[in-house]
Amino acid sequence: MDVGSLSGMTLYVVLFAVIFVESGILIGFWLPGDTILFAAGLMAADAASNVSVAVLSIGVAATATVGAAAGYYTGHRLGRPYLERRHATVLARTEEFYRRFGPITLVAARFVPWARTFAPVLAGTVAMSWSRFLIAVVLGALVWGTGLILLGYTAAAIPGLRDAAVWIALVVIVISVIAGIAGELLRRRSGRLPDQGPR
């Protein structure tokens, strides 16, 4: 997606729609949210683009949170009944994992393209506490969404850093891979630990 060809209200609508869908709507797992956010931040630094970094920062955090909430609702209404009928053992293991690592999983998942779509759905499926879920997704939306917008905005103001956008994108990809591996290790560790009962 060529973000540079968009401006003003068109950019806001397209960007917020992409982030909403990618944050919890199952068809959005393939969308390139990281690069779009960084590119939008770069554009906001250009006075001629008529794009506000404040509107981007607040709007992205809000739409990412609402998208995750939609994913939670989908998982709670559709995913849980299905797993209860077909995969009760898997549901029990996933519930235990989210009980122990749910908040950190939701924040870390923001940096993994496919995981940020599916993690909120799974949280709803295992009936994760709404208050814990909301705190985690708001924090994740700010760190990831607003963070990447501000990173792009700052990069445009630093000589040479704008030209290093490709390398910065590679760093984001590496972080995403590491976060994904860490999440899988936590999931496996959770499956091996004995149940310690409710806390």
Side-chain angles (χ1 to χ4, degrees):
M1 182 180 294
D2 184 8
V3 177
S5 65
L6 306 175
S7 63
M9 186 59 66
T10 303
L11 175 63
Y12 296 142
V13 171
V14 171
L15 177 62
F16 296 160
V18 167
I19 298 305
F20 171 80
V21 172
E22 191 184 24
S23 294
I25 309 303
L26 293 176
I27 61 172
F29 68 92
W30 56 274
L31 293 171
D34 298 324
T35 53
I36 292 175
L37 289 170
F38 185 78
L42 287 173
M43 285 189 62
D46 183 358
S49 69
N50 194 31
V51 175
S52 166
V53 67
V55 173
L56 285 178
S57 299
I58 296 170
V60 163
T63 51
T65 300
V66 174
Y72 181 96
Y73 179 79
T74 300
H76 185 68
R77 290 297 302 270
L78 303 178
R80 187 172 188 85
Y82 174 81
L83 289 182
E84 284 177 339
R85 291 194 307 268
R86 306 283 184 86
H87 304 284
T89 302
V90 173
L91 178 60
R93 287 202 302 263
T94 307
E95 282 180 327
E96 176 62 14
F97 176 80
Y98 268 77
R99 184 179 70 81
R100 296 183 178 185
F101 307 111
I104 192 172
T105 296
L106 288 166
V107 174
R110 279 292 178 186
F111 294 90
V112 185
W114 58 268
R116 60 174 163 260
T117 302
F118 292 104
V121 178
L122 282 175
T125 300
V126 301
M128 179 180 177
S129 164
W130 173 252
S131 59
R132 294 177 73 217
F133 172 81
L134 187 59
I135 292 172
V137 295
V138 169
L139 178 60
L142 289 171
V143 173
W144 171 72
T146 302
L148 285 177
I149 289 288
L150 296 178
L151 180 62
Y153 184 81
T154 303
I158 300 176
L161 192 55
R162 185 183 185 120
D163 297 329
V166 173
W167 294 106
I168 295 174
L170 288 175
V171 170
V172 171
I173 292 172
V174 170
I175 292 174
S176 297
V177 172
I178 292 173
I181 294 173
E184 177 63 15
L185 291 175
L186 279 175
R187 185 189 68 79
R188 293 185 179 185
R189 179 174 178 271
S190 175
R192 291 195 300 264
L193 290 175
D195 186 13
Q196 298 175 359
R199 296 178 179 177

